[in-house]
Amino acid sequence: MLYVQETVHRQTGRLITDPIGEFITVTELGEQYGVGPKRVRVVLHHMGVLAAEGRRYRLPRAFVERRLGVRHDNPRSGHPFDVLSPECQALIAEAWDDTVADLESEAAPTMRRAEAALAAFRSTRSRELNTQEAVCWLYDHHPRLLHRQIADILGVTAQLVSRFTKLRAKQINIARRAQTRPVL
């Protein structure tokens, strides 16, 4: 979206609109790089562009003061969001590949440990785990793994991992409700 700066000309009293650039949201930036909204926020947080605020990643106020973006804290939609300036987009473009590579190198040892632990667990079993059981075991024993990482370990899609984890959560909720129900 094209952002403009409006000023009043003191001699004529007219409103002058001066375009300051094409600002885009964080999600739109992710679409440019072919990643989802969560992944782009993780990359930008690792890069230092976004900071954790409660349960969200937001543009720090120091970036707003340096005119690298704009925070929309109380929009009409009700959900706060941030937009990034063209200068910020250029800085991100320079550091994107290195940051993604750094994130992948940090995730690789964690994934190798999880894969080794799963292999050790499988070796103690009398029968092979099916995919759902393997997903649930990894999710229980390595909760910091992302769905994409579990999918890479097992060689399945992230959508399948998501489906199995949602089913697992539903089954746990049913079991908890059954435990709290009084016995007649």
Side-chain angles (χ1 to χ4, degrees), residues 31-83:
E31 291 171 1
Q32 287 181 356
Y33 288 103
V35 296
K38 290 181 182 180
R39 179 71 176 160
V40 71
R41 283 167 175 76
V42 168
V43 172
L44 293 179
H45 175 66
H46 191 73
M47 194 181 290
V49 174
L50 297 180
E53 283 186 17
R55 294 174 46 174
R56 300 178 183 264
Y57 288 122
R58 298 295 309 275
L59 193 65
R61 301 213 185 271
F63 276 65
V64 175
E65 291 167 5
R66 291 176 35 204
R67 298 183 183 261
L68 293 174
V70 176
R71 290 173 58 110
H72 294 282
D73 291 322
N74 297 313
R76 289 185 182 170
S77 68
H79 299 287
F81 66 97
D82 304 316
V83 291

Side-chain angles (χ1 to χ4, degrees), residues 14-150:
R14 293 188 178 190
L15 188 64
I16 300 171
T17 57
D18 187 26
I20 57 174
E22 188 72 30
F23 284 59
I24 63 172
T25 65
V26 174
T27 302
E28 290 171 339
L29 180 77
E31 291 171 1
Q32 287 181 356
Y33 288 103
V35 296
K38 290 181 182 180
R39 179 71 176 160
V40 71
R41 283 167 175 76
V42 168
V43 172
L44 293 179
H45 175 66
H46 191 73
M47 194 181 290
V49 174
L50 297 180
E53 283 186 17
R55 294 174 46 174
R56 300 178 183 264
Y57 288 122
R58 298 295 309 275
L59 193 65
R61 301 213 185 271
F63 276 65
V64 175
E65 291 167 5
R66 291 176 35 204
R67 298 183 183 261
L68 293 174
V70 176
R71 290 173 58 110
H72 294 282
D73 291 322
N74 297 313
R76 289 185 182 170
S77 68
H79 299 287
F81 66 97
D82 304 316
V83 291
L84 306 171
S85 71
E87 297 85 32
C88 187
Q89 295 170 44
L91 293 171
I92 291 168
E94 291 176 15
W96 183 267
D97 293 331
D98 294 333
T99 306
V100 170
D102 188 41
L103 269 173
E104 293 299 324
S105 68
E106 285 181 5
T110 305
M111 287 177 58
R112 282 196 297 272
R113 281 193 301 272
E115 193 170 13
L118 179 62
F121 177 71
R122 281 181 167 164
S123 68
T124 64
R125 309 251 321 152
S126 60
R127 68 171 182 82
E128 185 62 30
L129 292 174
N130 64 30
T131 305
Q132 182 178 357
E133 292 168 339
V135 166
C136 291
W137 190 90
L138 283 170
Y139 198 76
D140 287 340
H141 291 85
H142 299 277
R144 295 186 58 101
L145 285 177
L146 302 173
H147 288 187
R148 182 181 49 79
Q149 293 171 325
I150 293 173

